[in-house]
Structure formats: structure tokens, C-alpha cells
Amino acid sequence: MPNLKAIRDRIKSVKNTRKITEAMRLVAAAKVRRAQEQVLATRPFADRLAQVLYRLQSRLQFEDVDLELLKNRDVKTVGLIVFSGDRGLCGAYNGNVIRRAEMRAKELEQEGLKYEYALLGRKAGQYFQRRNVPIATTRTDLGQIPSAEEADEIVDTILGWFISGKVDRVELIYTKFVSLISSRPVIQTLLPLTPQGLEVVDDEVFRLTTSNGSFNVAREKVTSSSSEATFPRDMIFEQDPVQILEALLPLFIKNQFLRALQESAASELAARMTAMSSASDNASQMINTLTLSYNKARQAAITQELLEVVGGAEALN
């Protein structure tokens, strides 16, 4: 016969676990909202910067501009910037981006190119440091809600990495946010910049909403008018347009990097929300199963006691 006390203790333990997983789900949901607000807050600056760069592109032939960030050198070494999380309990988020980084490294080796990793996040650092791969730098103190200051500090290092000739191309490997239950690792070339990379396309903004007590994601298209207007031909610049471009390109790169950080953070938090929600559901199912087992065992114990009392009474008669 099952031990009733052991079943009660197990039910109590699972209920405590469910409280923890539900609390973690709600914390992740709150942080997803903050990440969403951050994306919306930084969008006006990003949109205006893209407008200015697009208009400068219409006045200049970028191929003829002698700027380090626009030079397409013969590629010998590629810098791979890998975005991962510092914590676990977020499903396959970290594993997917690490596998994508390894696949990209193998592709470069097959092309006869060298590569170096720059690892952002404790999970990627722990994984690759146990393997014989070239690692240029690691960073593990990033907040779950990315800030412009953190992006500026990292991008300054990347720019020095590229301008010094240590690498000839820089690629970002991060997780793009699709929905609360879906995200995918992507690769984006950060340096060198190309005219195509400066074109403005329709973008999407995700909004975390609630409906009937459950979380949902609404997406909306954001269309920029930067491609519809150019600088007037008779406009006179106080500075050389090349100097203006040289000052704006680092800002554009930092904005692109910050957006990748935001996408990664939102993907990690959404993955943690989904994982904790599944854990809470599993705990509820386990509690129901254990409760049923407890009731059956208790009923069996009562029946056994009744049989013993009846048997004793018959023996006395």
C-alpha cells in the first residue's frame, strides 16, 4: 500500500515548485514588456538616422568613398559575435544559437577562411571555452534589458577589431524574435557596410498583450518614408558629406547592434516564459495525478480498517 505521508509530501513539493515556475513566468513576461517599450523608445532615433543615411547615399557613391567601415577587403578572417544568455531554464534558446555558430564556423573552414569568436553571454562562453576554438573575447555581465551604453562599449571594441585589420568581416549570430513560442537563430553581416545594408525596409514591432488572462503577441508593420525623399540637389552642406557620413556610420552600426541585443533578449525572455509555462502545466498535471493516487490509497486504507473492525466483531460473536 502506498505511503500516504510520502504522497502528501510529494504533492506539497510539486505545489512549491509550481509557485516558483509561475513566478518566473510572470517575471519574464514583465521583462518582455520592458524590452518592448525599449524598442519603441529607440525607434524614432533609428528611423531618422536611417533617413539621413539613405539621403546621403543618394548624393554619394559609397563605392568611391574612402572610409574604413565601407572597405570590402579580401576576407581572410571573420569575426563571429555570438549572442547567448547568462542563465538557463529557457528551453532550447542557448542550444540553438550555439549550434548555429558552430555550423557557421564549419562553413567558413570549408571555404578556407579563419574565424574568431566574440562570445556574449555565460552559456556560450562556458560551451566554447571547453573546446579548442579561437576565442578573441567574452562578455558575461550584460543585463537582461539591453542598454545603449552596453552596446556602445561593445561596438567600440568591434570597430577597433575591424579597423585594425584583425578581422576582415564581422558577423552577428543572434536569435530573432518571431513570437512567444517561436524564435530562430540568424546571421547578419555588421561590417563592412554596403549600400544595400543601408536601405530602409518595412520593419515589424512586437507588442505583448493579454487576452482572457493569457499572453499574446500582436505585430504591426512600421513603414519609413526615408526612401521616398532625398536631399535637394542644390542643398549646400556646411561640412563635407563624407565627413558627415564618417560621423554617422558608427551611430548606425551601434543602432544595428543594439537592435540585435534587443531581439536576443526578447527571444530569451519569451523562451523562458514558454518553458516556465510548460513546467507549471506539467506540475498541475502531476498534482492531479498524485491527488488521485492519494485518494485511492486513503480509500483503500479506510476500507481495510473497516474490514478489520468487521472481522474483529465477527470473531467476538
Side-chain angles (χ1 to χ4, degrees):
M1 180 183 301
N3 189 327
L4 293 178
K5 184 178 183 304
I7 297 178
R8 286 198 304 268
D9 292 343
R10 183 76 185 281
I11 292 174
K12 182 179 179 180
S13 175
V14 175
K15 285 183 177 179
N16 290 336
T17 301
R18 185 177 62 179
K19 290 179 181 179
I20 295 173
T21 57
E22 185 62 17
M24 293 180 67
R25 183 183 73 89
L26 294 175
V27 169
K31 290 184 177 180
V32 168
R33 289 185 184 275
R34 289 176 57 192
Q36 161 191 309
E37 293 170 357
Q38 186 183 55
V39 171
L40 296 177
T42 58
R43 180 166 296 282
F45 172 77
D47 184 61
R48 184 53 60 91
L49 178 60
Q51 290 181 23
V52 174
L53 287 174
Y54 189 90
R55 294 173 181 178
L56 279 173
Q57 177 187 351
S58 67
R59 293 288 297 269
L60 297 171
Q61 294 295 326
F62 279 9
E63 293 82 355
D64 300 330
V65 176
D66 187 20
L67 293 178
E68 287 292 332
L69 300 182
L70 300 175
K71 285 184 178 179
N72 283 292
R73 305 191 291 257
D74 292 335
V75 178
K76 298 179 181 178
T77 305
V78 178
L80 301 178
I81 316 297
V82 183
F83 296 71
S84 73
D86 287 335
R87 304 174 183 176
L89 298 178
C90 53
Y93 167 78
N94 291 309
N96 288 341
V97 74
I98 288 173
R99 281 192 295 271
R100 188 66 187 93
E102 287 185 315
M103 289 174 58
R104 183 55 181 158
K106 291 180 180 178
E107 292 171 359
L108 294 174
E109 288 180 340
Q110 291 174 357
E111 296 175 8
L113 301 177
K114 298 180 181 179
Y115 65 90
E116 288 192 9
Y117 285 119
L119 306 173
L120 305 181
R122 181 174 292 108
K123 292 300 180 180
Q126 291 175 345
Y127 180 85
F128 286 108
Q129 286 173 354
R130 294 195 297 263
R131 286 156 177 81
N132 186 23
V133 295
I135 299 175
T137 183
T138 58
R139 179 79 181 265
T140 60
D141 57 345
L142 296 176
Q144 286 192 307
I145 306 299
S147 65
E149 291 76 12
E150 290 174 335
D152 290 349
E153 182 180 348
I154 298 172
V155 170
D156 287 340
T157 302
I158 294 174
L159 291 177
W161 205 18
F162 178 78
I163 294 174
S164 66
K166 186 176 181 180
V167 296
D168 304 304
R169 188 168 73 228
V170 177
E171 296 179 354
L172 306 180
I173 303 177
Y174 65 96
T175 306
K176 184 175 181 60
F177 181 89
V178 178
S179 69
L180 285 178
I181 59 173
S182 176
S183 59
R184 65 177 186 272
V186 298
I187 298 177
Q188 175 185 345
T189 299
L190 185 67
L191 291 168
L193 290 172
T194 62
Q196 291 75 21
L198 299 178
E199 291 176 355
V200 178
V201 297
D202 289 349
D203 201 357
E204 285 185 333
V205 171
F206 65 89
R207 296 179 183 274
L208 183 63
T209 61
T210 55
S211 176
N212 297 325
S214 60
F215 293 105
N216 192 17
V217 172
R219 306 182 75 86
E220 63 179 27
K221 284 283 187 180
V222 180
T223 304
S224 173
S225 61
S226 60
S227 59
E228 300 174 358
T230 60
F231 290 131
R233 280 300 185 187
D234 58 351
M235 176 177 284
I236 299 175
F237 293 95
E238 293 185 1
Q239 287 181 298
D240 186 348
V242 176
Q243 294 180 351
I244 299 175
L245 182 63
E246 185 176 11
L248 291 181
L249 284 179
L251 291 177
F252 180 79
I253 293 172
K254 290 176 181 179
N255 182 263
Q256 293 291 97
F257 188 86
L258 178 60
R259 183 59 189 272
L261 279 176
Q262 292 170 341
E263 290 273 355
S264 296
S267 299
E268 179 185 359
L269 293 170
R272 184 167 289 111
M273 270 186 59
T274 303
M276 294 300 100
S277 179
S278 298
S280 297
D281 292 342
N282 292 338
S284 297
Q285 293 178 3
M286 185 175 293
I287 289 171
N288 292 335
T289 302
L290 290 172
T291 302
L292 181 60
S293 299
Y294 176 80
N295 290 336
K296 288 181 178 179
R298 184 169 177 270
Q299 188 64 42
I302 293 173
T303 302
Q304 181 64 30
E305 290 177 1
L306 289 174
L307 291 174
E308 291 175 356
V309 170
V310 170
E314 290 178 351
L316 291 176
N317 293 333

